[in-house]
């Protein structure tokens, strides 16, 4: 039976090619994802491990928890602690570390590193082992800075140049005295690093006389564990915590692995979708191969082969096909992993150098996935083949499905679909996080149900296309009949395309609805013309608000200043505002009371008020971070949203209780309103600072929606793999269908249907099947988009369903194009059949 199975594989090489390609694409996606993420993780882990070469034990401040009415504070690492650390037994040296956000502009004034990877720190003395100088000298004084070699290379800076730098808003223009090399992971990932002398760094980062970390180097012969123990004994109890370099490296490696796991999981989900779609192709292929070998299988049974042997022969064929596809997919996946790594460099997201990582787990996963998916998909056709009785050898036709089997299938499909719809609708009435799991389960049940029902749905939906197909005469009529002749095959082919379009449509509906919701939120909550913030979301210096207030054309401005507090034994963040201006800068809907922020009168969002049982006129006591308490009065309760929420009070009341006031955003209203000239004026007033963003309401909503657009484009790209696999499925089905109907096509040619008519018939059949899958996919996608939107709407009052009619028409056109392209080769092959040879074929 093994020789028989192998012979069948070799005899049907062309027919199995599409199956091999489908499995290969899915396996390539899986193995490519594993190679890419393992390579990136390994590169970052090696780079971060090098960063701990100059430290054996790190001393950090131990955070204090909020207790009772006291806001927890983080103790400071003082100069005395640094001196103590340097003198403990077994310590060779101790270095004080200061760090914070530092934006560097290139020579065109553009921000280097994208903001989130722009870091600053201190250069320790004249020669810091952490940062070997490539050229120049160490920085000294507030007018000097050293920058990393990668940033200098990208921006074209050299020693002696003046560079524009910002720490918390105001622009600094120090001179570059040195360029250094570093293993810092942020720099390796395309960020920047600027170093000042210690005193300047402490002043710039608001840490005068203190440090963020103390790095201690062990003397020769002293282990990290022994040094840690000595430091624990010497430093103040309860104020510091020590960690060995080994533990730091392990923690960093775990963090990197954790951050990569999300990317890996996401990519593997799309790989799974591609494989799931490929399963339909495999099942279709083996079903048709079995149908075409009815006589052969029945003859095997007649000469003594058991049912188990027949099933095993089909599974052996699947094993060979799966093994070939898996090996080819693994090789292709290694290429994909290497290509993705190189692609990151071309788009600016550079990573540390390192080898391509191909683990045994990647190889085993690729082989297991390819072989198992193929064998599982072939099992049902193999089981059907085993049931063929020897008497079937008298006919070349495969036994049609019985009425009983169709009734059972339709009943199961209806039950799954009904349960799926019920669960999804029930999930829409739950809160956002609670409804996610039920909705996912419901979606899976509904997709399974629709897949089971597609043979039943194919007849009425394809029949609806009959009036259009009549335009094409006899070719159109034959195409419609061929489409519904084998509903199961049509359903499996259409379902492959349906899965991809369901996900694409659902994501598009959600993205469009979110964009509109964000636009509404920005326009309804904020009446300010501009919102000013740091590029990386860090805090702004109060000097920025002072500068804007004195800028000509600014009629009102208010910073949004965050501060921790304790209320009723719970942690609550307060938002400090300019009480006299905030009413002109916001347009919040007031549920009760009068919107008034002055003195001890505050306004509270509805969720916070509800959680504390407050209403307009209620009083409560807040405990500030300096330990002082004050009684405040709720003047109004307003409807909060994702942009503005919380307890707002006057900065004149809040700021005296803050050690280092800083603003998250500044709302600005101008006499001329939002315009490009006004925006330019504000940016120039702030020193044309690349680290500071000046956005109008449209800019704000676009920046928020940009994240969803990026995700949507990534989803489109990843789901393209599933669509490609679906195209292969349509080609495969049509090619085998043409082979099955060779005699019939020969007869049609003999009675007068020309080659063009044959081609048109096959193309129309492909078009109808593809559009059937497209209609099902778009319909399911809209339903899932609506359902997911209901969950989002429970947390976002401005959310409303938006149906992207133009995009949906484009998706339907895409489905039709898939059908036309997929039919090119099978139609050409059908038209070239010799009519006499075809009529004589069995």
């Amino acid at each position: 039976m093994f020789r028989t199975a192998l012979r069948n594989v070799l005899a049907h090489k062309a027919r199995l090619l599409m199956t091999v390609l489908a499995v290969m694409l899915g396996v390539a996606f899986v193995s490519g994802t594993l190679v890419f993420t393992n390579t990136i993780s390994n590169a970052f882990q090696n780079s971060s491990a090098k960063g701990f070469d100059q430290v054996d034990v790190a001393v950090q401040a131990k955070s204090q928890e909020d207790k009772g009415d006291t806001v927890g504070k983080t103790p400071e690492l003082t100069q005395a602690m640094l001196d103590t650390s340097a003198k403990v037994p077994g310590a060779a040296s101790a270095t004080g570390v200061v760090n914070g956000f530092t934006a560097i502009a290139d020579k065109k004034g553009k921000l280097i590193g994208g903001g989130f990877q722009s870091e600053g720190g201190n250069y320790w003395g004249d020669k810091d082992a952490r940062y070997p100088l490539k050229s120049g000298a160490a920085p000294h004084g507030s007018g000097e800075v050293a920058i990393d070699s990668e940033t200098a290379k990208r921006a074209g800076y050299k020693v002696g140049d003046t560079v524009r730098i910002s720490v918390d808003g105001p622009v600094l223009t120090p001179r570059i005295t040195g360029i250094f090399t570093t293993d810092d992971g942020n720099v390796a990932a395309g960020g920047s690093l600027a170093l000042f002398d210690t005193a300047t760094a402490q002043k710039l980062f608001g840490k005068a006389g203190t440090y963020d970390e103390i790095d201690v180097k062990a003397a020769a012969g002293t282990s990290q564990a022994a040094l840690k123990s000595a430091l624990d004994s010497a430093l103040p109890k309860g104020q510091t915590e020590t960690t060995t370099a080994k533990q730091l490296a392990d923690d960093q490696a775990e963090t990197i692995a954790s951050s990569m796991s999300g990317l890996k999981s996401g990519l593997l989900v799309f790989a799974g979708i591609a494989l799931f779609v490929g399963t339909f192709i495999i099942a279709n292929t083996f079903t048709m191969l079995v149908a075409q070998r009815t006589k052969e299988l029945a003859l095997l049974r007649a000469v003594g082969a058991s049912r188990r042997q027949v099933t095993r022969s089909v599974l052996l064929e699947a094993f060979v096909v799966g093994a070939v596809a898996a090996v080819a997919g693994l090789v292709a996946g290694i290429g994909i992993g290497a290509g993705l790594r190189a692609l990151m460099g071309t788009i600016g997201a550079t990573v540390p150098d390192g080898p391509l990582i191909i683990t045994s787990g990647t190889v085993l996963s690729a082989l297991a996935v390819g072989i198992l998916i193929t064998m599982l998909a072939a099992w049902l056709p193999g089981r059907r083949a085993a049931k063929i009785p020897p008497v079937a050898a008298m006919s070349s036709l495969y036994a049609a499905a019985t009425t009983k089997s169709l009734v059972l299938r339709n009943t199961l499909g209806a039950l799954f679909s009904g349960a799926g719809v019920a669960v999804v609708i029930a999930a829409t009435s739950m809160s956002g996080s609670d409804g996610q799991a039920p909705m996912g389960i419901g979606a899976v049940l509904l997709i399974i149900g629709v897949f089971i029902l597609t043979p039943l749905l194919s007849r009425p939906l394809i029949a609806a296309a009959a009036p259009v197909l009549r335009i094409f005469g006899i070719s159109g009529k034959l195409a419609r009949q061929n489409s519904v002749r084998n509903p199961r095959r049509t359903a499996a082919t259409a379902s492959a395309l349906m899965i991809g379009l369901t996900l694409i449509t659902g994501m598009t509906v959600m993205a469009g609805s979110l964009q509109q919701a964000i636009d509404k939120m920005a326009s309804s909550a904020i009446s300010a013309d501009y919102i000013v913030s740091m590029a990386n979301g860090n805090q702004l210096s109060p000097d920025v608000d002072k500068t804007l207030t004195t800028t000509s054309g600014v009629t009102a401005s208010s910073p949004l200043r965050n501060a921790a507090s304790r209320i009723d034994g719970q942690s609550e963040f307060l938002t400090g505002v300019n009480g006299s201006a905030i009413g002109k800068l916001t347009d919040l809907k007031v549920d009760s009371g009068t919107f008034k922020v002055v003195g001890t009168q505050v306004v509270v969002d509805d969720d916070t008020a509800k959680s504390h049982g407050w209403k307009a006129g209620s009083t409560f006591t807040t405990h500030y971070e300096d330990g002082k308490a004050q009684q405040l009065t709720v003047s109004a309760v307003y409807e909060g949203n994702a942009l503005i929420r919380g307890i707002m009070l006057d900065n004149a009341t809040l700021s005296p209780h803050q050690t280092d006031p800083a603003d998250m955003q500044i709302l600005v209203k101008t006499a001329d309103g939002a315009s490009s000239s006004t925006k330019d004026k504000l940016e120039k007033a702030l020193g044309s600072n690349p680290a500071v963003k000046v956005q109008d309401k449209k800019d704000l909503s676009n920046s928020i929606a940009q994240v969803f657009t990026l995700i949507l484009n990534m989803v489109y790209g990843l789901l393209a793999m599933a669509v490609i696999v679906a195209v292969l499925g349509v080609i495969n089905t049509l090619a085998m269908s043409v082979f099955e109907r060779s005699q019939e096509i020969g007869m049609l040619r003999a009675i007068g249907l020309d080659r063009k008519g044959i081609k048109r018939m096959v193309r129309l059949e492909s078009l109808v099947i593809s559009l059937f899958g497209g209609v099902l996919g778009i319909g399911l996608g809209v339903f899932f988009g609506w359902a997911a939107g209901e969950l989002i709407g429970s947390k976002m009052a401005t959310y409303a369903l938006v149906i992207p009619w133009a995009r949906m028409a484009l998706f339907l056109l895409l489905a039709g194009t898939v059908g036309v392209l997929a039919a090119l080769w099978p139609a050409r092959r059908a038209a070239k059949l010799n009519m006499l040879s075809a009529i004589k074929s069995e």
Side-chain angles (χ1 to χ4, degrees):
M1 294 304 291
F2 176 77
R3 289 196 298 272
T4 301
L6 188 60
R7 182 186 61 79
N8 282 323
V9 171
L10 296 175
H12 302 116
K13 293 188 291 293
R15 297 182 217 173
L16 292 170
L17 177 62
M18 296 300 175
T19 299
V20 171
L21 285 175
V23 179
M24 185 195 76
L25 284 173
V27 172
F29 210 154
V30 172
S31 55
T33 295
L34 295 175
V35 169
F36 172 65
T37 52
N38 288 339
T39 297
I40 299 299
S41 295
N42 182 73
F44 276 114
Q45 286 170 14
N46 290 341
S47 176
S48 65
K50 291 177 184 176
F52 298 118
D53 288 346
Q54 301 304 318
V55 56
D56 286 304
V57 178
V59 180
Q60 297 169 320
K62 188 174 184 179
S63 299
Q64 306 297 306
E65 295 181 0
D66 296 341
K67 292 182 180 179
D69 294 326
T70 304
V71 178
K73 293 182 179 180
T74 301
E76 297 174 332
L77 297 179
T78 63
Q79 184 65 40
M81 292 179 182
L82 175 62
D83 295 337
T84 301
S85 299
K87 295 174 183 177
V88 299
S93 63
T95 303
V97 179
V98 184
N99 51 51
F101 169 73
T102 303
I104 304 177
D106 61 20
K107 290 185 176 182
K108 295 180 180 179
K110 300 295 183 182
L111 178 65
I112 297 173
F116 292 95
Q117 295 168 329
S118 303
E119 295 293 330
N122 66 313
Y123 194 92
W124 191 254
D126 292 321
K127 188 176 182 181
D128 194 329
R130 299 173 300 168
Y131 308 109
L133 285 169
K134 188 175 181 180
S135 61
H140 291 286
S142 58
E144 297 183 352
V145 68
I147 65 173
D148 69 90
S149 57
E150 289 298 319
T151 298
K153 182 180 178 181
R154 288 198 298 269
Y157 284 127
K158 60 183 183 297
V159 173
D161 288 346
T162 298
V163 62
R164 294 169 62 80
I165 284 178
S166 176
V167 172
D168 58 0
V171 176
L172 307 173
T173 54
R175 182 175 62 88
I176 299 174
T177 63
I179 294 174
F180 59 89
T181 59
T182 177
D183 293 316
D184 187 284
N186 282 326
V187 173
S192 62
L193 180 60
L195 300 178
F196 310 89
D197 69 12
T198 301
T200 301
Q202 289 174 325
K203 181 180 178 182
L204 288 175
F205 301 137
K207 298 160 186 173
T210 64
Y211 303 94
D212 292 299
E213 184 175 297
I214 296 173
D215 291 344
V216 186
K217 187 73 176 172
T222 303
S223 67
Q224 292 183 357
L227 180 58
K228 179 182 184 302
S229 178
L231 287 166
D232 288 337
S233 301
L235 293 170
K237 304 294 183 185
Q239 295 186 38
T240 61
E241 54 186 357
T242 57
T243 312
T244 63
K246 182 181 183 305
Q247 185 61 50
L248 287 172
D250 290 344
D251 292 343
Q252 184 75 8
E254 187 177 337
T255 300
I256 292 170
S258 177
S259 63
M260 293 302 294
S261 67
L263 174 63
K264 182 186 291 186
S265 299
L267 291 174
L268 287 176
V269 165
F270 290 102
I273 293 169
L275 285 168
F276 182 63
V277 171
T279 302
F280 295 122
I281 300 176
I282 301 165
N284 248 1
T285 301
F286 279 93
T287 297
M288 286 184 280
L289 285 174
V290 167
Q292 292 164 14
R293 287 159 45 203
T294 301
K295 282 186 176 181
E296 175 189 328
L297 294 173
L299 186 59
L300 286 173
R301 291 290 314 283
V303 296
S306 66
R307 288 188 175 185
R308 183 174 295 178
Q309 286 178 311
V310 171
T311 303
R312 194 179 299 155
S313 72
V314 175
L315 291 178
L316 280 172
E317 289 180 51
F319 175 82
V320 174
V321 171
V324 171
V327 172
L330 175 61
V331 173
I334 293 171
I336 289 172
L340 286 174
R341 190 186 187 287
L343 179 64
M344 291 189 73
T346 63
I347 63 176
T350 54
V351 296
D353 292 331
L356 200 65
I357 303 299
I358 306 167
T359 65
S360 57
T362 298
V363 175
L364 291 175
S365 296
L367 294 176
V369 166
I371 294 171
L372 287 176
I373 288 293
T374 308
M375 292 185 71
L376 284 173
W379 174 77
L380 189 58
R383 187 168 171 271
R384 286 177 183 164
K387 290 184 177 180
I388 299 174
V391 73
M394 296 173 62
S395 172
S396 62
L397 296 177
Y398 190 63
T402 63
T403 303
K404 181 180 178 182
S405 69
L406 292 175
V407 170
L408 178 62
R409 178 179 182 132
N410 295 337
T411 303
L412 281 174
L415 289 174
F416 271 98
S417 299
V421 170
V423 173
V424 168
I425 291 176
T428 60
S429 62
M430 303 177 185
S431 63
S433 56
D434 294 337
Q436 290 176 2
M439 184 164 291
I441 294 170
V444 171
L445 289 174
L446 180 54
I447 288 175
I448 292 173
V450 171
F451 168 65
I452 295 173
L453 284 175
T454 41
L456 178 66
L457 296 172
S458 65
R459 291 185 178 277
L461 288 178
I462 291 176
V468 178
L469 292 174
R470 287 196 193 104
I471 299 172
F472 300 95
I474 191 65
S475 295
K477 183 178 180 181
L478 289 171
R480 184 184 66 80
Q481 291 175 347
N482 290 335
S483 300
V484 296
R485 176 184 295 181
N486 191 330
R488 287 181 173 176
R489 184 191 304 164
T490 298
T493 306
S495 295
L497 194 58
M498 176 191 78
I499 300 295
L501 285 179
T502 295
L503 295 170
I504 290 173
T505 305
M507 292 294 295
T508 304
V509 169
M510 288 175 60
S513 302
L514 278 170
Q515 174 68 70
Q516 179 177 280
I518 293 165
D519 289 342
K520 284 183 179 178
M521 188 187 301
S523 60
S524 63
I526 299 173
S527 56
D529 296 317
Y530 295 98
I531 301 94
V532 180
S533 62
M534 291 294 282
N536 70 331
N538 271 16
Q539 296 180 329
L540 287 158
S541 166
D543 292 339
V544 176
D545 180 50
K546 292 176 183 177
T547 301
L548 291 170
T549 302
T550 57
T551 301
S552 64
V554 174
T555 58
S557 70
S558 173
L560 302 181
R561 183 170 298 169
N562 283 355
S565 73
R566 296 286 288 176
I567 300 172
D568 298 334
Q570 299 178 23
S571 295
E572 289 283 2
F573 269 95
L574 306 174
T575 301
V577 298
N578 181 347
S580 61
I582 192 64
K584 305 172 188 176
L585 299 165
T586 57
D587 189 18
L588 299 168
K589 184 179 178 182
V590 177
D591 291 339
S592 61
T594 303
F595 196 93
K596 190 175 183 182
V597 184
V598 61
T600 60
Q601 291 185 304
V602 303
V603 294
V604 183
D605 72 283
D606 46 3
D607 288 340
T608 303
K610 184 178 179 181
S611 67
H612 289 279
W614 298 336
K615 57 184 179 181
S618 297
T619 61
F620 62 91
T621 300
T622 184
H623 296 264
Y624 298 106
E625 59 185 54
D626 63 356
K628 296 182 180 179
Q630 186 175 32
Q631 190 176 69
L632 303 175
T633 303
V634 179
S635 65
V637 176
Y638 66 92
E639 288 187 8
N641 55 59
L643 296 178
I644 299 179
R645 62 174 62 217
I647 303 170
M648 285 194 284
L649 72 161
D650 200 334
N651 273 327
T653 304
L654 175 63
S655 297
H657 301 285
Q658 292 184 284
T659 306
D660 186 23
D663 306 324
M664 294 305 298
Q665 292 177 326
I666 301 172
L667 304 180
V668 181
K669 197 169 186 65
T670 60
D672 299 329
S675 66
S676 58
S677 60
T678 303
K679 184 176 181 179
D680 289 342
K681 184 193 295 184
L682 294 177
E683 288 177 341
K684 287 178 181 177
L686 296 172
S688 299
N689 191 334
V692 177
K693 294 189 298 185
V694 179
Q695 299 174 295
D696 59 23
K697 285 184 281 189
K698 188 64 178 175
D699 292 334
L700 179 65
S701 62
N702 285 344
S703 66
I704 298 172
Q706 188 177 10
V707 178
F708 300 110
T709 303
L710 178 63
I711 294 172
L712 185 64
N713 290 337
M714 287 177 62
V715 169
Y716 283 166
L718 293 170
L719 287 176
M721 180 71 74
V723 174
I724 291 171
V725 174
V727 172
L728 294 176
V730 177
I731 296 172
N732 205 26
T733 298
L734 288 174
M736 289 197 164
S737 179
V738 166
F739 180 83
E740 267 188 353
R741 301 190 331 246
S742 296
Q743 191 177 57
E744 175 187 318
I745 292 171
M747 289 294 295
L748 289 172
R749 292 274 290 111
I751 61 176
L753 191 62
D754 60 10
R755 293 181 187 272
K756 286 185 178 179
I758 295 293
K759 284 184 179 180
R760 190 180 300 120
M761 176 188 73
V762 176
R763 288 171 184 165
L764 288 173
E765 180 183 349
S766 176
L767 180 64
V768 167
I769 292 173
S770 297
L771 288 176
F772 169 53
V775 169
L776 285 181
I778 291 171
L780 283 174
V782 170
F783 177 71
F784 291 140
W786 164 80
E790 290 296 299
L791 286 183
I792 297 172
S794 66
K795 298 292 184 181
M796 186 182 288
T798 56
Y799 186 91
L801 180 67
V802 174
I803 304 294
W805 296 107
R807 286 283 182 96
M808 286 164 53
L810 183 64
F811 295 156
L812 200 58
L813 180 63
L814 173 66
T817 304
V818 164
V820 172
L821 293 176
L824 291 177
W825 178 61
R828 190 164 173 268
R829 182 183 175 191
K832 283 190 170 185
L833 285 175
N834 181 287
M835 68 176 77
L836 294 178
S837 299
I839 291 171
K840 289 190 296 180
S841 66
E842 293 186 3

